[in-house]
Amino acid sequence: MEIKVSVVIPIYNSEKYLEKCLDSVKNQTLKEIQIICVNDGSTDKSLEIMENYAQNDSRFVIVNQENGGCGKAYNVGMKAAQGEYIGFVEPDDYINNDMYETLYNIAKSKDLDFVKSDFVEFKSTGETNYRALTYSKEYYNKIICPKDDINVFNFAMNTWTGLYKRNFIEQNKITYNETSGASFQDNGFWFKTFCFAEKIYFLDKAFYNYKTDNPDSSVNNPDKVFCMKVEYDLIYKFLEENPELKEKFKYIYQQRRFKNYKFSYKRIAKKYKWSFLKVFSRDLKDAAKKHEIDKTLFRNNELREIFLIKHFPLLYLMFYK
């Protein structure tokens, strides 16, 4: 069977949600798929659930590894991929049955590096929220080159709403960062794909259902406080290793870093905020020293925040809401 799409699912202690996730992938209307379940050292019944699916459906492939984190699991899964395109699904989420048939047909017919779509956020209570991938309808349903329009870097940051051409990923050596125990490892993969891509496409339909109330939150975990900084330091290292890309994308990189540092600052526990702000301040000063902050990429209120965090982080901590 020709494999059109390989689906990579990193799985760690996900027994509560896993069957719904695997059913949604198994029941895709596109049948020529490979379903790669990367067991990241699970200690619950996750592996048993995977094995039950693999026994009844030869499209399932199980790869076992010691617990190494989501980034490593994704990379291991991509190495096992044989499909023309690669998709990603998180084990507590699920997808609509026609997701990969729809996206594959678009990607194949237009020879895209990747195609992405809108998504739906959901909670265990049944509450749902439709999320548009872009902020403007003008970006949907047409081929775009990110090098010609860096506004696409401002769209929703995720790797699981679409399909990526495997040759595109492999030729550009695009991988997830494997920082042990870290979070936000999809940021680097996301950023690299936009830097290298020549033909991308956004579809104004939602197929992916993203769970937003998983109780395994890291906001009170001291080991997770600086994960965003670690990820963006690695992205900057990638740009330094690719001077032409750095020259083109260094300003949008600093803008994305600012926004995601702010996201981290808001979500971490109160007792860690001052430590994070001091790092935030140092990194903004470094960016300014390198002349890598393009003020036209920020709103006026963001420029005020940059000034405060750079020069008066304690005032920002005390008064800025």
Side-chain angles (χ1 to χ4, degrees):
M1 178 185 72
E2 175 195 8
I3 299 174
K4 295 180 177 178
V5 171
S6 292
V7 186
V8 179
I9 310 172
I11 300 167
Y12 176 71
N13 290 353
S14 306
E15 62 179 5
K16 184 176 180 181
Y17 316 104
L18 191 53
E19 289 185 353
K20 184 172 185 177
C21 172
L22 296 183
D23 281 340
S24 73
V25 180
K26 175 184 176 181
N27 294 326
Q28 288 294 294
T29 55
L30 182 69
K31 300 304 180 185
E32 300 92 338
I33 63 175
Q34 175 191 31
I35 307 168
I36 305 169
C37 299
V38 183
N39 176 36
D40 189 29
S42 296
T43 57
D44 64 357
K45 294 183 180 179
S46 293
L47 179 57
E48 180 182 332
I49 294 171
M50 292 179 239
E51 289 174 339
N52 288 336
Y53 279 82
Q55 287 173 5
N56 297 301
D57 191 331
S58 61
R59 298 176 302 170
F60 279 84
V61 176
I62 299 174
V63 181
N64 289 298
Q65 67 174 35
E66 294 183 4
N67 182 250
C70 193
K72 183 176 181 180
Y74 274 133
N75 289 338
V76 167
M78 287 195 293
K79 286 180 182 178
Q82 299 175 16
E84 189 176 357
Y85 282 82
I86 300 176
F88 305 105
V89 179
E90 295 187 353
D92 49 350
D93 303 337
Y94 67 95
I95 59 179
N96 295 356
N97 290 357
D98 60 341
M99 176 171 176
Y100 289 134
E101 181 175 20
T102 304
L103 296 183
Y104 175 80
N105 287 339
I106 292 172
K108 179 70 173 176
S109 66
K110 301 181 185 299
D111 191 30
L112 303 174
D113 293 320
F114 64 83
V115 55
K116 296 170 72 71
S117 57
D118 293 345
F119 60 103
V120 174
E121 294 178 339
F122 74 97
K123 295 183 178 180
S124 301
T125 59
E127 179 184 347
T128 62
N129 179 35
Y130 188 99
R131 289 289 306 276
L133 192 69
T134 80
Y135 56 72
S136 174
K137 292 182 178 179
E138 69 177 282
Y139 285 97
Y140 285 112
N141 306 311
K142 67 179 183 181
I143 296 174
I144 301 171
C145 177
K147 295 181 179 66
D148 296 332
D149 191 344
I150 61 171
N151 283 326
V152 297
F153 281 84
N154 286 306
F155 300 160
M157 293 186 75
N158 61 61
T159 60
W160 27 256
T161 63
L163 284 178
Y164 299 82
K165 185 189 291 183
R166 181 161 63 92
N167 284 347
F168 163 71
I169 296 297
E170 292 176 349
Q171 287 172 4
N172 291 296
K173 298 182 173 66
I174 301 173
T175 60
Y176 287 78
N177 292 320
E178 295 186 7
T179 38
S180 180
S183 300
F184 312 115
Q185 293 167 319
D186 56 346
N187 280 238
F189 184 92
W190 181 94
F191 194 88
K192 293 172 192 175
T193 57
F194 275 85
C195 286
F196 282 119
E198 300 290 339
K199 296 172 68 177
I200 68 176
Y201 193 94
F202 303 110
L203 183 63
D204 55 349
K205 293 182 180 179
F207 304 94
Y208 195 98
N209 301 277
Y210 175 67
K211 187 173 178 61
T212 60
D213 60 347
N214 191 325
D216 298 324
S217 173
S218 61
V219 293
N220 290 301
N221 186 340
D223 296 329
K224 301 289 186 180
V225 172
F226 296 106
C227 284
M228 190 69 81
K229 173 180 170 52
V230 171
E231 184 71 4
Y232 273 81
D233 283 350
L234 288 170
I235 296 173
Y236 195 79
K237 181 181 178 182
F238 154 76
L239 288 176
E240 288 189 312
E241 292 169 350
N242 296 272
E244 290 185 11
L245 294 179
K246 181 182 178 183
E247 189 59 31
K248 181 70 178 178
F249 297 116
K250 62 186 178 183
Y251 302 113
I252 196 67
Y253 161 82
Q254 295 293 354
Q255 186 234 36
R256 295 313 309 167
R257 186 173 70 163
F258 170 77
K259 288 180 178 294
N260 283 292
Y261 272 30
K262 270 189 61 179
F263 170 79
S264 280
Y265 176 74
K266 289 178 180 179
R267 73 189 293 273
I268 59 178
K270 186 176 181 180
K271 58 184 175 180
Y272 303 125
K273 289 186 183 294
W274 174 234
S275 296
F276 187 86
L277 266 182
K278 288 190 287 185
V279 171
F280 200 165
S281 178
R282 286 199 299 268
D283 284 351
L284 282 174
K285 288 178 182 176
D286 182 63
K289 185 178 179 180
K290 294 176 180 176
H291 306 289
E292 292 178 352
I293 296 178
D294 181 351
K295 292 183 178 181
T296 65
L297 296 178
F298 298 90
R299 297 189 295 269
N300 287 335
N301 65 306
E302 291 174 329
L303 292 173
R304 288 193 292 270
E305 288 183 82
I306 289 173
F307 178 82
L308 272 177
I309 296 170
K310 273 175 59 181
H311 301 290
F312 306 103
L314 187 58
L315 287 178
Y316 186 89
L317 175 74
M318 295 171 62
F319 299 114
Y320 208 95
K321 304 296 181 183

